[in-house]
Amino acid sequence: MKTVILIPARYASTRYPGKPLAELTLPDGTKKSLIRMSWEAAQTVKGVDAVYVATDDDRIKEAAEAFGADVIMTSESCENGTARCADALA
């Protein structure tokens, strides 16, 4: 059995559209997107075989692939992160 981490990422949030692509300035002055920071943190978890970004948005897909993430495209009809993860597993 493999152990994976799925990071659900949606662009079309009503409260903060594009949040996964929002860049934060780190203490050393570098900037990283929230999705990249999440992916990098997930990469450090011991015992995990793979980390995937699960999204329905091409902008998130392109950004994630640009920093080396594997991406699983999901349905636009997913209502929340749990549904997005279930769709990615299917």
Side-chain angles (χ1 to χ4, degrees), residues 31-81:
K31 292 184 178 189
K32 289 186 183 179
S33 66
L34 286 174
I35 193 67
R36 182 173 187 161
M37 291 172 55
S38 298
W39 179 80
E40 288 177 353
Q43 291 288 107
T44 68
V45 177
K46 295 190 185 314
V48 173
D49 297 300
V51 177
Y52 298 96
V53 173
T55 188
D56 64 346
D57 190 272
D58 287 330
R59 292 165 287 197
I60 293 173
K61 176 183 185 287
E62 291 170 12
E65 288 177 341
F67 59 73
D70 291 319
V71 177
I72 299 173
M73 294 302 288
T74 59
S75 171
E76 292 180 10
S77 66
C78 295
E79 294 181 11
N80 55 42

Side-chain angles (χ1 to χ4, degrees), residues 7 26 61 72 74 85 87:
I7 302 170
L26 302 176
K61 176 183 185 287
I72 299 173
T74 59
C85 289
D87 188 36

Side-chain angles (χ1 to χ4, degrees), residues 23-32:
E23 288 195 335
L24 299 179
T25 303
L26 302 176
D28 66 1
T30 61
K31 292 184 178 189
K32 289 186 183 179

